[in-house]
Amino acid sequence: MPSVGEILDGKRICICAGSGGVGKTTTSAAIAAGMAARGLRVCVLTIDPAKRLADSLGLEELGNEARQVDPALFAEQGVEIKGELWAMMLDAKATFDELVARQAPDEEARDRVLGNRIYQQISSALAGSQEYMAMEKLFELHTEDRFDLLVLDTPPTRNALDFLDAPKRLTQFIEGRSLRVFMKPTGFAAKVAGRGASVALSVFKRIVGFDLIADLAEFFNAFSGMVDGFQARARRVNSLLADHRTCFLVVCGPQGEPVDEAVYFHRKLVEAKLPFGGVIVNKVHYPAERLRGDGADLPAVLAERLGEDLGGRVCENFADYQALAERDSRNIDRLAGELRTQAVIRVPHLDEDVHDLAGLAEINRYLFASAEQREALAAGRA
Ligand SMILES: Nc1ncnc2c1ncn2[C@@H]1O[C@H](COP(=O)(O)OP(=O)(O)OP(=O)(O)O)[C@@H](O)[C@H]1O
Ligand SMILES: [Mg+2]
């Protein structure tokens, strides 16, 4: 079973994908820190990190700009960062604006689009889905070539697949027939659409007033010149995702449903010919008896230390926990079987939320453990 360090050896991009709440943000930050500790210049692009985690990475505000995390903060935790760790909180709207600025033929066209009220609405709505903008930013940073490795956290989608579909959705929106009709009305279709549109427009006009119509027309005109640029870029983003130096890590929980989702997501990755690197099963219940060393007669020990009553209740609790651990272990075996992969890395459910560098370091003991270290960890000896 490889460690994350081995899986990511030689990779330039690592994308942590998975369903909501499984630990994508935590894992991305931990992986970035772990790889930076090994000597790489790493940047993690994170999305909506919990405030305390953001604070501990020194990301006080949305900046859409990478900031270096102070290595002294890690040194305090006993972690030496041999390379550099940078972090950025993604601002989807700002990324969209930057994209428009890049695609616009000149400053005037740029300002016309950015200042346009229709654009402001549409960009917020599109940016609201965040996925595409995350990949845009990734592409931009990759092109700049400032970092050895980029680690991308993905947005809290209900369904991890939304993320894979994002480039397609944007291209479809841009290629959308309705938009085309508005932009380049020609021939018969234009007459029909034109008549339809003019009825619609006159209704619009009555409801919302003339300014909006002017804004609409101006938006479509200004945007039309950029469509080809957007499409070309979306294609390049897609091929970057499929590159052999890109690696998707699927993050999931150990329960039945998250495991099913991970299996499904893996299948979609394979179908889309995107490079799958491994699965990280987060918040796993490790078998407790192993944490205490095999062979201890737990009921007797507890009864002696805590008395019959409390000892008995602790024992019941312990049995429940064991049942959970066994269930997790069965699910993970099934996951490994269905994915036909050895690359399944378990991270335990820690007692506390992971909101600081010490927490990330603790997660990394598991993510980056060698086979031997992993055995020791599972047996509670590390
Ligand atoms: N191994 C762990 N043990 C204990 N708590 C954890 C562990 N991993 C993550 N957490 C906590 O679980 C919560 C969710 O984690 P995180 O924010 O990383 O998930 P996410 O997948 O990014 O969620 P979202 O889909 O909402 O973006 C956080 O409070 C985090 O501190
Ligand atoms: Mg998150």
Side-chain angles (χ1 to χ4, degrees), residues 19-26 156 282-283 347-350 352-354 363:
S19 323
V22 289
K24 299 177 295 293
T25 302
T26 307
N282 189 26
K283 303 193 191 178
V347 176
H349 198 309
L350 302 178
E352 282 178 44
D353 270 5
V354 184
I363 298 262

Side-chain angles (χ1 to χ4, degrees), residues 181 185 188-201:
V181 165
F188 176 71
K191 279 189 208 126
V192 177
R195 219 176 295 142
S198 70
V199 174
L201 286 183

Side-chain angles (χ1 to χ4, degrees), residues 96 99 122 126-127 129 132-133 136 165-176 179 223 230-231 233-234:
F96 204 169
L99 183 59
I122 288 182
L126 268 184
S129 70
Y132 184 76
M133 294 309 134
E136 254 311 312
D165 286 342
K168 202 163 76 200
R169 279 208 308 274
L170 185 77
T171 340
Q172 276 168 353
F173 166 77
I174 288 167
E175 284 170 349
L179 204 56
F223 210 72
F230 267 97
Q231 283 167 340
R233 200 166 163 91

Side-chain angles (χ1 to χ4, degrees), residues 263-344:
V263 170
Y264 187 56
F265 187 53
H266 170 262
R267 200 172 74 224
K268 290 285 163 188
L269 278 177
V270 173
E271 278 169 16
K273 298 197 169 58
L274 294 173
F276 165 75
V279 196
I280 292 161
V281 190
N282 189 26
K283 303 193 191 178
V284 175
H285 302 90
Y286 273 52
E289 99 232 81
R290 284 204 239 143
L291 290 175
R292 322 182 104 255
D294 288 326
D297 179 2
L298 200 63
V301 172
L302 287 174
E304 192 190 308
R305 296 226 182 134
L306 304 170
E308 289 292 326
D309 184 38
L310 184 57
R313 274 186 282 151
V314 171
C315 261
E316 270 172 38
N317 205 313
F318 177 73
D320 289 347
Y321 182 88
Q322 285 297 75
L324 272 181
E326 280 159 26
R327 180 209 61 183
D328 285 3
S329 168
R330 276 195 306 276
N331 284 335
I332 295 168
D333 287 347
R334 175 166 72 86
L335 177 68
E338 298 216 26
L339 266 50
R340 289 195 215 101
T341 180
Q342 294 292 310
V344 179

Side-chain angles (χ1 to χ4, degrees), residues 17-272:
S19 323
V22 289
K24 299 177 295 293
T25 302
T26 307
T27 312
S28 328
I31 289 176
M35 294 303 278
R38 279 157 185 73
L40 300 186
R41 275 174 306 147
V42 186
C43 181
V44 54
L45 281 82
T46 139
I47 296 168
D48 281 344
K51 180 152 187 339
R52 287 164 77 190
L53 180 62
D55 287 349
S56 63
L57 289 172
L59 292 171
E60 291 87 6
E61 71 229 31
L62 272 173
N64 231 19
E65 232 173 75
R67 308 229 175 103
Q68 187 172 5
V69 182
D70 184 356
L73 297 175
F74 281 98
E76 283 167 20
Q77 306 298 332
V79 178
E80 187 201 347
I81 297 282
K82 295 203 186 90
E84 291 173 14
L85 175 63
W86 294 68
M88 172 191 287
M89 236 195 284
L90 188 84
D91 178 342
K93 170 81 169 79
T95 305
F96 204 169
D97 290 351
E98 287 166 15
L99 183 59
V100 165
R102 208 173 302 116
Q103 300 297 340
D106 53 49
E107 282 181 17
E108 198 211 323
R110 178 199 65 196
D111 293 343
R112 268 208 329 238
V113 171
L114 293 184
N116 185 283
R117 274 180 291 179
I118 303 295
Y119 167 77
Q120 285 162 3
Q121 291 300 320
I122 288 182
S123 62
S124 302
L126 268 184
S129 70
Q130 279 184 340
E131 293 89 346
Y132 184 76
M133 294 309 134
M135 283 184 279
E136 254 311 312
K137 199 74 207 173
L138 183 77
F139 182 73
E140 183 193 317
L141 284 174
H142 178 76
T143 313
E144 284 174 12
D145 205 20
R146 284 162 60 197
F147 300 102
D148 302 317
L149 176 71
L150 298 168
V151 182
L152 178 68
D153 173 23
T154 56
T157 44
R158 217 169 6 93
N159 180 341
L161 295 173
D162 290 352
F163 171 73
L164 284 184
D165 286 342
K168 202 163 76 200
R169 279 208 308 274
L170 185 77
T171 340
Q172 276 168 353
F173 166 77
I174 288 167
E175 284 170 349
R177 269 204 297 165
S178 50
L179 204 56
R180 285 268 179 214
V181 165
F182 267 114
M183 290 186 305
K184 286 182 188 150
T186 48
F188 176 71
K191 279 189 208 126
V192 177
R195 219 176 295 142
S198 70
V199 174
L201 286 183
S202 70
V203 174
F204 248 58
K205 214 182 268 186
R206 249 180 284 137
I207 300 172
V208 297
F210 182 75
D211 281 357
L212 180 67
I213 306 300
D215 274 359
L216 252 180
E218 189 187 70
F219 169 71
F220 285 121
N221 279 333
F223 210 72
S224 66
M226 302 183 198
V227 169
D228 292 340
F230 267 97
Q231 283 167 340
R233 200 166 163 91
R235 275 196 296 276
R236 288 168 66 197
V237 171
N238 276 333
S239 62
L240 179 64
L241 293 184
D243 193 274
H244 68 282
R245 297 221 279 171
T246 297
C247 172
F248 281 80
L249 293 178
V250 177
V251 185
C252 71
Q255 300 84 358
E257 205 179 312
V259 162
D260 289 341
E261 283 169 13
V263 170
Y264 187 56
F265 187 53
H266 170 262
R267 200 172 74 224
K268 290 285 163 188
L269 278 177
V270 173
E271 278 169 16

